[in-house]
Amino acid sequence: MDKRAWFNKETFLRTAEGAGLKPGDPHLEELYAYVQNVLPGLQVIEELDLKDVEPMSSPGVQESSR
Amino acid sequence: MNPSEICHLSASQLSGLVRQREVSPVEIVKAHLTRIDSLEPGLNSFITLLPEQALAQAQASEREIGAGRIRGPLHGIPFGLKDLFYVNGVRSTGGTRIFENFVPATDSAVASRLRNGGAILLGMLNLHPLAYGPTGENRDYGDMHNPWDPRRITGGSSGGSGSAVASGECTFALGTDTGGSVRIPGAMCGVVGFKPTYGRVSRYGIVPLAWSLDHVGPLCRTVEDCALVMNVIAGPDPKDPTTARLPVSDYRETLNRGLRNLRVGVPKEYFEAPVDPAVKGAVERAIGKLGELGAAVSEVSWPLLRYGQAIASTLQMAEATTFYKKLIQTQGNRLDPVVRVRLEAGLFISATDYIQAQRARALFYHQGLGLLGEVDLLAGPTVPVTAFEPGQSEIEVEQGRMKVIPWLMQYTRPFNLTGFPAITVPCGFSREGLPVGLQLAGRPFEEATVLLAAHAYEQSTEWHQKRPPV
């Protein structure tokens, strides 16, 4: 999913409020700009073929359980 | 012995002098306190200094050593801890005024092991607030300053650790490394910074940033000193369930085995990424030196490397925000503004984003591990640029304008994702006299191979003998 399209201002403000940030705080403008700038770059992960790949919660588990 | 000379000796050298009764722990600690007095607050390496406690411990060490009870090579050697390690009774701020009065009532595992080994804590070292940033800038306690040029950044987040070791304010330091926070200041301050395998060193009693990416590691002026510190801090800890129940070798004993028969791979993607020409040149010459020393150097490919930043960012943002969620909600306005937005942005990472990143991590890990089936070590730059002036969010290079934060971590983060051991060792200087670091990484739990290769390189050059002008 394209995060840039999904993250319109209304969705952002709803999510921010749901996460406990103060609605109406002028700081949210700065946060909105940051989120718009950073999150789309993370979507590159969607290019990867992750079929049959299980999540790796931390890299130490496999080695330490040998 | 001249006190200022004491401050530039390695732990290994000091240890020899202590054993031969040529210098005492009290002399060593006094020399370092004098050095700190002359350099602070200019470098701003420390948040909390512990002179009385350090002198009392030095006097006790002197009595013990005088009675023939030497605890090991770190007995009587002064060190510093990044100010997010718990030490019973010593304030731990995490680099933010929000925690300026927090005093833990327990020791971190590594602080306890170092104390038992006789090392003497001089104080708590400055850091990027909450360890969430790679530059070493701190609004609350002041920016850290690079001993090679105090107008420039130290790198971070363990910036105080880097500057204190480089300038001779302490013999070694511990930092934490979630995306490069030991290796970046190590490279930018011209010292050795070592991130062991995930699970090799206990993280008990350390304020986390991102549980699945956090590592503890030493910053020292020589690779041998890193081996000495690792000999004390490595090994399983029942209080940290992520520590591996695997044997720990004597890292110092294997340092001189040399590079012959070792295969060193240079991922071609390293130099396809934007990198400062001064760094590229110094690292290429260093890799050439590895070949001269007997390593078989070849080009390899790690195609998934370009996904490392997105995978690591997703995991780090979600984990850091989870840990600090209450703080964000209740005291967000007291946080450093840049750190605050980074933390809050993690609120917008969904559970499925996080799990997808964990799946991508598995793919990334196995491709990296496969690569280390073809070669024994991976070599390349630690940081793509030398230290620059603070306050910059972008830097212009040949390939375009780079966003400072992700760019600084482009070579270090892959080894937080995989947990593979990785070291930075000084490999040259720019025309402006700023240090450059060579990064070597190895297979999980093969710290000994990484250390011996770094040691062989270091001993064949003179970079580690150069001193900053402060």
Side-chain angles (χ1 to χ4, degrees), chain B residues 123-379:
Chain B
M124 306 303 285
L125 296 160
N126 203 353
L127 66 154
H128 207 106
L130 305 179
Y132 209 172
T135 58
E137 293 164 284
N138 186 320
R139 183 195 64 168
D140 285 8
Y141 290 101
D143 294 346
M144 290 135 264
H145 299 281
N146 196 309
W148 294 93
D149 179 350
R151 293 168 304 180
R152 296 174 189 257
I153 63 162
T154 53
S157 62
S158 312
S161 305
S163 61
V165 173
S167 65
E169 291 183 315
C170 54
T171 309
F172 72 92
L174 289 190
T176 55
D177 191 318
T178 306
S181 289
V182 162
R183 291 162 288 157
I184 294 168
M188 288 186 147
C189 293
V191 299
V192 182
F194 184 48
K195 182 200 80 64
T197 312
Y198 186 87
R200 184 57 103 186
V201 175
S202 172
R203 297 168 305 144
Y204 174 77
I206 294 157
V207 181
L209 177 59
W211 298 279
S212 79
L213 298 161
D214 292 342
H215 299 66
V216 172
L219 293 100
C220 305
R221 289 192 293 273
T222 67
V223 177
E224 183 181 20
D225 281 4
C226 279
L228 292 178
V229 176
M230 282 297 295
N231 280 349
V232 173
I233 65 173
D237 175 15
K239 289 179 175 170
D240 179 354
T242 66
T243 50
R245 295 181 299 277
L246 294 171
V248 179
S249 60
D250 181 336
Y251 297 116
R252 187 195 214 177
E253 203 177 272
T254 50
L255 277 183
N256 291 312
R257 289 194 179 166
L259 284 173
R260 206 154 291 283
N261 300 323
L262 279 184
R263 298 162 301 169
V264 174
V266 183
K268 66 184 177 71
E269 292 80 5
Y270 275 178
F271 293 116
E272 289 168 2
V275 55
D276 182 302
V279 172
K280 184 171 185 272
V283 170
E284 283 175 340
R285 285 188 292 277
I287 291 169
K289 188 77 178 175
L290 296 174
E292 288 170 27
L293 292 169
V297 179
S298 63
E299 186 181 88
V300 294
S301 179
W302 192 350
L304 289 178
L305 206 60
R306 72 185 187 91
Y307 294 93
Q309 293 275 22
I311 302 168
S313 285
T314 306
L315 298 174
Q316 181 168 328
M317 287 168 75
E319 293 181 26
T321 302
T322 302
F323 182 73
Y324 285 113
K325 189 170 179 188
K326 197 80 183 169
L327 188 80
I328 297 166
Q329 290 168 336
T330 58
Q331 301 191 69
N333 59 354
R334 294 185 64 201
L335 279 167
D336 176 288
V338 179
V339 172
R340 180 186 186 185
V341 292
R342 273 181 216 152
L343 282 173
E344 288 172 339
L347 294 167
F348 300 88
I349 303 287
S350 70
T352 51
D353 290 337
Y354 183 69
I355 299 292
Q356 280 294 84
Q358 286 188 332
R359 296 175 78 197
R361 178 188 212 162
L363 213 58
F364 190 89
Y365 174 93
H366 288 292
Q367 192 171 86
L369 198 62
L371 202 53
L372 285 165
E374 297 169 28
V375 293
D376 302 296
L377 292 164
L378 298 174

Side-chain angles (χ1 to χ4, degrees), chain A residues 3 6-7 11-22 25 27-28 30-32 34-35 37-39 41-66, chain B residues 198 212 242-246 304 306-307 309-311 313-314 317 319 325 328-330 337 340-342 344-345 347-350 353-363 365-366 369 403 416-419 444-445:
Chain A
K3 209 98 190 182
W6 184 75
F7 256 98
T11 309
F12 166 81
L13 290 172
R14 205 168 44 240
T15 309
E17 191 177 352
L21 302 185
K22 290 189 184 79
D25 186 336
H27 162 74
L28 291 181
E30 186 190 350
L31 178 60
Y32 182 57
Y34 184 82
V35 165
N37 186 28
V38 169
L39 292 197
L42 307 182
Q43 296 305 301
V44 71
I45 293 172
E46 296 302 323
E47 294 172 9
L48 296 170
D49 180 5
L50 298 174
K51 187 168 168 281
D52 299 328
V53 181
E54 292 199 11
M56 175 184 262
S57 58
S58 78
V61 176
Q62 320 188 3
E63 298 302 323
S64 58
S65 61
R66 266 181 188 170
Chain B
Y198 186 87
S212 79
T242 66
T243 50
R245 295 181 299 277
L246 294 171
L304 289 178
R306 72 185 187 91
Y307 294 93
Q309 293 275 22
I311 302 168
S313 285
T314 306
M317 287 168 75
E319 293 181 26
K325 189 170 179 188
I328 297 166
Q329 290 168 336
T330 58
R340 180 186 186 185
V341 292
R342 273 181 216 152
E344 288 172 339
L347 294 167
F348 300 88
I349 303 287
S350 70
D353 290 337
Y354 183 69
I355 299 292
Q356 280 294 84
Q358 286 188 332
R359 296 175 78 197
R361 178 188 212 162
L363 213 58
Y365 174 93
H366 288 292
L369 198 62
K403 287 181 184 169
N416 296 86
L417 266 184
T418 58
F445 299 103

